[in-house]
């Protein structure tokens, strides 16, 4: 426990400073360009910044609560994300029992397994056990219409919203020599780098974005935004490598891995939204949309980050 | 106590459904006496409508419900009459002491808004919406100056389908359409069809 708390508080203060600067910029933009709230882009920007304050505060409180705080926070995120995802699936009335089991058994069990640090089971519980048991429960309902689509979508929802998200607090279970008690900082590093990459991709894209990467999936994503965002977020990750067990160049490789996965995760989740004909996953986070709109990049980055770290640094 | 219970019930409904209102046809800020008419898929319908109405309007917005179900005493009666201040009507007209339409008109005259379910019963079928019973027509005739607001409740039938005890968390929406009124000389069937179509038009699916 080498000063993990003072380091964490320094990080939180840093985030507060960045958000304060963002709020001032947002306020100036509003005064100059949108005094009566007529510019939708600026209103949305300010909504987003306000929501960031709330998210940063909740995240900070949770991480100050250490292992317990992290597990509870991400369990709640999983619940909210799963609620959004299941709403868009074809799960029908026949799947009611399956859905009840998914929300009230699978989700808590997954987080309980993380809590008791049972790696051997939490890494196969949803991909193996639930994968086999869930279609059985739905089959017993006797409804065959859309059966494969229904079970596939429910399994996918679980993988994304519960399995992948739970790999963020699962980082607390890794044991890295010389880094004991500091895993909470690794979580903060992941979330900061991935979320900053999202924000910076947006900023770079607005400033110098020309070539669209995938106009059909996500019209706002550009090559320039992608490169600029991933690279600057990675550089910030390198600067923050004191929060990790990595040396600066290792932090750079990790930063690239999580930001690129995050970007591609955003594309995948956009493809699902287009498929289902919605713009946002939900409405619960003002300016951002739903929980999945904010979590999509973390979802794709977290398991990769977890396993790379586990493979190269973990002992025991 | 009733405040606390009403808070607990609406909070539970929000946690489960993250219910979101969509004011497609009316401005919730305007304080007006209204008749909300909604599709009826579960016992939680009026809870969702209640949860999204502005707080100050809730006490004065009374769900119209069947006395046979809600007057069985105990917790159910407490929730129905004390918490939600519902207007209980006799569905079984053999025993009816009072004319339901007169009861509803009296509540409107007292300044309250009403929530009614013109299908008359929960829709447990695969049909989008059942045929309307004539009650809404007779109410509109009795008080033609009050706005009728179609309200579509989206997804709640998936949260708590027929026969299920445990609700599952899914996002719900409550969509408020544009007001309509009965016109001079409009017949029963014409009005019922018009009102039903206005409600169906709100279904996003």
């Amino acid at each position: 426990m080498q000063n993990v708390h003072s380091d964490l508080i320094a990080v939180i203060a840093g985030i507060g400073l960045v958000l304060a600067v963002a709020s001032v910029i947002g306020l100036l933009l509003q005064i100059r360009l949108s005094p009566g709230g007529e510019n939708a882009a600026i209103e949305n920007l300010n909504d987003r910044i306000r929501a960031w304050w709330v998210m940063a505060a909740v995240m900070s409180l949770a991480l100050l609560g250490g292992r317990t705080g992290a597990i509870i926070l991400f369990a709640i995120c999983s619940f909210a994300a799963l609620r959004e995802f299941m709403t868009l699936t074809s799960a029908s009335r026949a799947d009611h029992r399956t859905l009840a089991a998914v929300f009230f058994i699978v989700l808590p069990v997954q987080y309980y397994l993380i809590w008791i640090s049972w790696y051997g089971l939490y890494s196969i519980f949803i991909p193996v056990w639930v994968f086999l048991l869930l279609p059985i429960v739905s089959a017993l309902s006797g409804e065959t219409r859309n059966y494969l689509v229904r079970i596939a979508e429910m399994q996918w929802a679980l993988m994304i919203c519960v399995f992948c998200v739970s790999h963020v607090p699962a980082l607390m279970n890794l044991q890295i020599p010389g880094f004991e008690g500091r895993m909470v900082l690794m979580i903060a590093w992941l979330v900061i780098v991935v979320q900053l990459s999202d924000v910076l991709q947006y900023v770079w894209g607005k400033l110098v974005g020309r070539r669209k990467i995938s106009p059909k999936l996500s019209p706002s994503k550009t090559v320039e935004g992608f490169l600029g965002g991933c690279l600057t977020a990675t550089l910030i990750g390198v600067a923050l490598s004191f929060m990790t067990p990595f040396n600066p160049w290792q932090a750079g490789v990790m930063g690239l891995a999580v930001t690129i996965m995050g970007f591609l995760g955003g594309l995948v989740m956009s493809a699902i939204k287009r498929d289902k004909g919605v713009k946002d996953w939900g409405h619960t986070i003002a300016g951002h949309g739903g929980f999945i709109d904010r979590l999509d990049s973390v979802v794709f980055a977290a398991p990769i980050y977890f396993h790379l770290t586990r493979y190269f640094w973990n002992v025991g | 106590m009733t405040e606390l219970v009403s808070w607990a019930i609406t909070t539970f409904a929000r946690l489960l459904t993250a219910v979101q209102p969509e004011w497609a046809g009316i401005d919730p800020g305007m304080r007006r006496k209204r008749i909300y008419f909604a599709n009826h898929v579960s016992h939680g319908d009026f809870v969702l409508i209640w949860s999204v109405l502005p707080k100050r309007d809730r006490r004065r917005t009374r769900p119209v419900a069947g006395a046979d179900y809600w007057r069985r005493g105990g917790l159910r009666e407490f929730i129905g009459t004390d918490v939600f201040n519902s207007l209980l009507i006799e569905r079984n007209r053999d025993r009816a002491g009072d004319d339901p339409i007169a009861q509803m008109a009296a509540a409107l005259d007292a300044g309250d808004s009403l929530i009614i379910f013109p299908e008359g019963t929960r829709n447990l079928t695969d049909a989008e919406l059942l045929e309307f019973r004539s009650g809404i027509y007779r109410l509109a005739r009795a008080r033609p100056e009050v706005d009728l607001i179609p309200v579509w409740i989206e997804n709640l039938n998936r949260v708590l389908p027929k026969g299920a005890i445990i609700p599952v968390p899914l996002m719900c929406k409550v969509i408020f359409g544009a007001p309509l009124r009965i016109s001079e000389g409009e017949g029963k069937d014409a009005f019922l069809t018009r009102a039903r179509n206005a409600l169906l038009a709100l279904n996003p699916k």
Side-chain angles (χ1 to χ4, degrees):
Chain A
M1 288 291 263
Q2 34 185 344
N3 301 327
V4 56
H5 256 94
S6 58
D7 280 1
L8 187 56
I9 286 169
V11 169
I12 292 170
I15 295 171
L17 197 65
V18 170
L19 283 178
V21 171
S23 291
V24 170
I25 293 173
L27 186 66
L28 290 177
L29 282 174
Q30 188 179 23
I31 291 171
R32 281 203 50 193
L33 300 170
S34 177
E38 58 270 23
N39 185 324
I42 290 174
E43 293 307 307
N44 178 263
L45 178 73
N46 283 320
D47 276 348
R48 278 173 183 255
I49 295 171
R50 273 191 289 275
W52 272 120
W53 276 106
V54 177
M55 289 187 277
V58 171
M59 185 80 194
S60 303
L61 276 177
L63 293 187
L64 285 170
R67 187 185 158 73
T68 316
I71 291 178
I72 292 174
L73 172 69
F74 285 96
I76 293 172
C77 288
S78 274
F79 175 85
L82 193 61
R83 188 174 63 180
E84 291 168 1
F85 205 123
M86 286 302 183
T87 304
L88 290 188
T89 64
S90 325
S92 73
R93 280 187 289 189
D95 300 308
H96 189 78
R97 250 183 301 172
T98 321
L99 285 177
V102 157
F103 277 98
F104 302 120
I105 300 174
V106 176
L107 190 155
V109 167
Q110 173 72 6
Y111 280 90
Y112 175 72
L113 294 171
I114 306 259
W115 169 256
I116 61 169
S117 205
W118 188 354
Y119 173 77
L121 191 50
Y122 68 65
S123 52
I124 63 161
F125 176 60
I126 292 173
V128 178
W129 288 93
V130 175
F131 175 73
L132 297 173
L133 294 175
L134 177 142
I136 297 176
V137 178
S138 277
L140 290 176
S141 75
E143 172 66 87
T144 54
R145 197 171 32 164
N146 258 339
Y147 178 71
L148 182 57
V149 173
R150 279 157 42 209
I151 58 164
E153 286 181 343
M154 286 191 284
Q155 180 68 19
W156 232 82
L158 270 176
M159 285 299 292
I160 290 290
C161 304
V162 182
F163 183 77
C164 289
V165 174
S166 75
H167 279 68
V168 182
L171 285 161
M172 298 298 288
N173 294 336
L174 298 181
Q175 279 161 20
I176 299 169
F179 200 68
E180 291 84 0
R182 291 172 64 81
M183 294 311 295
V184 73
L185 286 168
M186 265 196 88
I187 293 186
W189 187 88
L190 170 71
V191 174
I192 290 171
V193 171
V194 172
Q195 297 292 357
L196 267 180
S197 166
D198 280 1
V199 173
L200 291 168
Q201 282 170 33
Y202 172 85
V203 173
W204 279 103
K206 283 269 172 213
L207 294 179
V208 295
R210 294 276 182 283
R211 280 158 294 174
K212 294 196 189 328
I213 280 192
S214 180
K216 270 182 82 180
L217 282 186
S218 201
S220 59
K221 288 196 166 75
T222 59
V223 178
E224 293 80 1
F226 163 62
L227 292 175
C230 288
L231 288 174
T232 36
T234 299
L235 285 178
I236 293 167
V238 171
L240 295 175
S241 60
F242 74 93
M243 297 166 68
T244 67
F246 318 137
N247 68 30
W249 74 263
Q250 290 167 334
V253 174
M254 279 294 204
L256 281 178
V258 298
T259 53
I260 292 172
M261 277 310 285
F263 170 80
L264 297 172
L267 278 188
V268 170
M269 300 310 272
S270 286
I272 296 175
K273 284 192 285 187
R274 296 288 170 275
D275 180 23
K276 295 289 179 186
V278 296
K279 199 182 134 288
D280 290 321
W281 285 95
H283 55 82
T284 26
I285 309 177
H288 295 260
F291 273 73
I292 303 181
D293 291 293
R294 203 58 281 137
L295 278 172
D296 52 7
S297 40
V298 174
V299 160
F300 275 70
I304 302 298
Y305 180 66
F306 175 89
H307 285 292
L308 287 176
T309 309
R310 185 171 181 278
Y311 187 77
F312 289 108
W313 281 273
N314 185 57
V315 294
Chain B
M1 184 63 188
T2 56
E3 286 289 307
L4 191 71
V5 175
S6 113
W7 177 85
I9 293 175
T10 48
T11 303
F12 177 71
R14 278 169 193 283
L15 281 178
L16 207 61
T17 67
V19 57
Q20 181 196 29
E22 204 175 299
W23 306 101
I26 54 167
D27 173 6
M30 293 223 320
R31 308 201 61 184
R32 298 187 59 164
K33 181 162 71 180
R34 294 173 170 134
I35 302 166
Y36 301 94
F37 66 100
N39 55 326
H40 197 15
V41 291
S42 97
H43 291 305
D45 288 333
F46 65 85
V47 177
L48 278 205
I49 297 179
W50 235 58
S51 306
V52 297
L53 286 176
K55 250 199 194 95
R56 51 174 200 211
D57 293 340
R58 285 184 199 164
R59 296 294 315 163
R60 306 230 62 179
T61 305
R62 307 182 62 186
V64 178
D68 47 291
Y69 182 82
W70 291 99
R71 206 172 270 149
R72 282 188 216 159
L75 185 63
R76 193 185 287 176
E77 180 158 350
F78 171 72
I79 290 175
T81 50
D82 295 331
V83 179
F84 290 105
N85 190 22
S86 44
L87 180 69
L88 299 183
I89 54 167
E90 290 294 344
R91 273 188 290 203
N92 191 344
R93 293 300 304 280
D94 313 333
R95 304 187 278 129
D98 225 336
D99 174 18
I101 302 300
Q103 271 177 277
M104 290 186 239
L108 288 170
D109 294 343
D112 292 330
S113 293
L114 296 176
I115 301 173
I116 60 172
F117 300 102
E119 293 162 278
T121 180
R122 279 180 301 150
N123 177 5
L124 302 175
T125 70
D126 281 329
E128 248 184 313
L129 190 63
L130 302 176
E131 291 302 321
F132 279 8
R133 309 266 283 268
S134 63
I136 186 172
Y137 166 75
R138 289 188 288 140
L139 181 60
R141 269 273 163 266
R143 291 295 175 272
E145 72 286 359
V146 181
D147 282 344
L148 289 146
I149 317 289
V151 181
W152 184 265
I153 300 171
E154 171 71 4
N155 244 352
L156 196 61
N157 52 344
R158 288 173 74 202
V159 169
L160 195 62
K162 173 188 182 179
I165 302 164
I166 305 172
V168 295
L170 294 170
M171 318 278 281
C172 291
K173 258 188 193 169
V174 178
I175 305 161
F176 294 82
L180 56 98
R181 286 183 186 184
I182 195 161
S183 40
E184 201 73 43
E186 188 172 13
K188 185 178 96 176
D189 292 338
F191 175 75
L192 290 181
T193 308
R194 186 159 70 93
R196 187 166 177 273
N197 287 341
L199 182 53
L200 274 174
L202 299 176
N203 183 356
K205 286 218 182 84

